[in-house]
Amino acid sequence: MEIFKQIAPLKAHLHALKQAGKSVGLVPTMGALHAGHLTLIEASKKQNQITVCSIFVNPTQFNNPVDLQKYPRTLDKDTILLEKVECDVIFCPDNLEMYPDSSLLKLNFGHLDAVMEGKFRPGHFSGVGLVVGKLFNIVEPDHAYFGQKDWQQFAVISQLVRELKFNLTLHSVPIARERDGLAMSSRNLRLQGEQRTNAIAFYHALLTAKDNLKRGESIDQVKKMVAAKIREYAGITLEYFEVADSKNLNLLERVKDSDHPILCIAGFAGDVRLIDNMFLD
Ligand code: AMP
């Protein structure tokens, strides 16, 4: 496994491999890797001869400086994990390598970043689009892999790829969960005791919501149920629960207004922000 901190030698390394006809898959991450990230690596390894995992805690996507400061950083452990799953290349630049000049560019994804995560984390998707665009230009992958867990991110990046005509194929990989159903997340490392136990509230709320919607309850009724259910768990607070069209992220008032609705939830366990989602079908 090769490890690069700088862009130029990484590009030279990948150039030689591409000249030799090898296809390249990219898995962008912020590190503190868990089994969910490794499913993305696995998916890339199945489709490509070379898999590049980038590890970069991207400052421009954090709207909360405390969250950025507390974000777990475990590069040594990540390297061991990636070695074990036979990832080919790690790209772990520092801030200066990725942002040598002060960054001025802002990306606006219109409706796609006006709702849910975009509404509660202003500027988040501009930062995501910026760093993912940089990574696509640096690595020039044939395929790139993202988790369904960040579904809105996937919608935003799909738009980025379409509009800027990046020559690559995007893939969304299903959510990997802990035994009790909690969606795996690097931020779970920060959950202590009861916070960790009760963080399951979001998954339980999604399951019940899905069940109730399938039985014909209205989205309005289900929203009230979700708010009440989350209140039953000590230390857990709800930020939003929405049912959206999974393609255009339009928020739905009736499930029949979409061919493929997705249920999205976000909130806090203590001061740790968590998100989760589930397709209706
Ligand atoms: P992050 O390091 O949190 O930015 O995540 C890097 C990539 O891993 C993103 O595409 C995430 O959607 C994906 N990911 C994070 N958690 C999971 C999970 N539990 N299952 C599958 N993919 C995930």
Side-chain angles (χ1 to χ4, degrees):
M1 188 170 70
E2 307 281 340
I3 302 177
F4 295 92
K5 289 185 181 301
Q6 279 163 334
I7 296 169
L10 170 72
K11 278 179 94 88
H13 179 74
L14 292 176
H15 181 71
L17 293 166
K18 285 174 194 163
Q19 291 290 90
K22 309 223 188 239
S23 75
V24 173
L26 171 65
V27 179
T29 80
M30 297 204 297
L33 300 182
H34 50 66
H37 294 113
L38 300 185
T39 61
L40 307 191
I41 303 282
E42 244 169 62
S44 171
K45 281 183 65 73
K46 273 198 193 131
Q47 283 178 313
N48 303 280
Q49 277 109 24
I50 300 297
T51 292
V52 179
C53 178
S54 63
I55 298 180
F56 178 61
V57 181
N58 174 36
T60 62
Q61 72 186 71
F62 284 81
N63 56 316
N64 177 347
V66 179
D67 191 25
L68 172 60
Q69 186 214 329
K70 289 196 175 167
Y71 200 85
R73 290 157 172 91
T74 60
L75 186 57
D76 290 346
K77 205 172 139 237
D78 294 347
T79 307
I80 293 168
L81 277 178
L82 289 171
E83 183 95 66
K84 248 193 213 156
V85 296
E86 297 180 355
C87 179
D88 302 287
V89 175
I90 301 181
F91 176 48
C92 49
D94 62 15
N95 284 350
L96 200 63
E97 188 69 5
M98 289 301 274
Y99 294 99
D101 309 305
S102 60
S103 180
L104 296 178
L105 185 62
K106 298 277 178 264
L107 299 176
N108 181 334
F109 292 91
H111 170 72
L112 293 180
D113 70 4
V115 295
M116 301 192 288
E117 289 302 284
K119 180 172 165 194
F120 286 94
R121 302 183 68 187
H124 170 65
F125 287 118
S126 176
V128 168
L130 196 56
V131 79
V132 171
K134 281 176 194 263
L135 289 169
F136 286 169
N137 277 327
I138 294 165
V139 175
E140 297 182 77
D142 301 288
H143 299 269
Y145 300 81
F146 294 87
Q148 181 205 313
K149 176 163 164 282
D150 299 273
W151 181 256
Q152 190 170 3
Q153 169 172 283
F154 189 72
V156 160
I157 291 167
S158 303
Q159 187 72 20
L160 185 81
V161 166
R162 266 197 305 276
E163 285 207 42
L164 296 184
K165 306 219 174 298
F166 282 107
N167 186 20
L168 55 87
T169 308
L170 288 180
H171 302 268
S172 165
V173 177
I175 302 176
R177 297 182 178 281
E178 302 290 353
R179 273 162 175 268
D180 63 356
L182 175 66
M184 288 184 179
S185 164
S186 305
R187 289 186 174 87
N188 293 353
L189 288 175
R190 294 183 47 216
L191 298 173
Q192 308 283 338
E194 193 185 46
Q195 274 175 5
R196 167 61 190 87
T197 326
N198 287 352
I200 193 63
F202 299 111
Y203 177 62
H204 284 171
L206 283 176
L207 282 178
T208 314
K210 177 171 166 169
D211 210 43
N212 291 5
L213 288 171
K214 283 203 168 269
R215 284 196 284 109
E217 273 191 22
S218 72
I219 290 179
D220 206 36
Q221 281 171 310
V222 168
K223 281 187 171 177
K224 289 185 184 125
M225 178 283 294
V226 166
K229 191 162 184 63
I230 295 289
R231 277 197 295 273
E232 289 171 13
Y233 293 82
I236 306 296
T237 50
L238 180 67
E239 198 164 62
Y240 67 78
F241 166 80
E242 296 288 357
V243 184
D245 178 88
S246 55
K247 284 253 152 50
N248 58 27
L249 300 187
N250 284 341
L251 301 184
L252 302 175
E253 283 170 17
R254 298 172 309 184
V255 283
K256 65 177 184 195
D257 292 338
S258 164
D259 291 336
H260 200 24
I262 186 165
L263 286 57
C264 300
I265 196 163
F268 288 86
D271 68 342
V272 182
R273 191 170 184 281
L274 300 172
I275 59 173
D276 200 349
N277 66 64
M278 205 173 271
F279 291 110
L280 186 62
D281 294 303

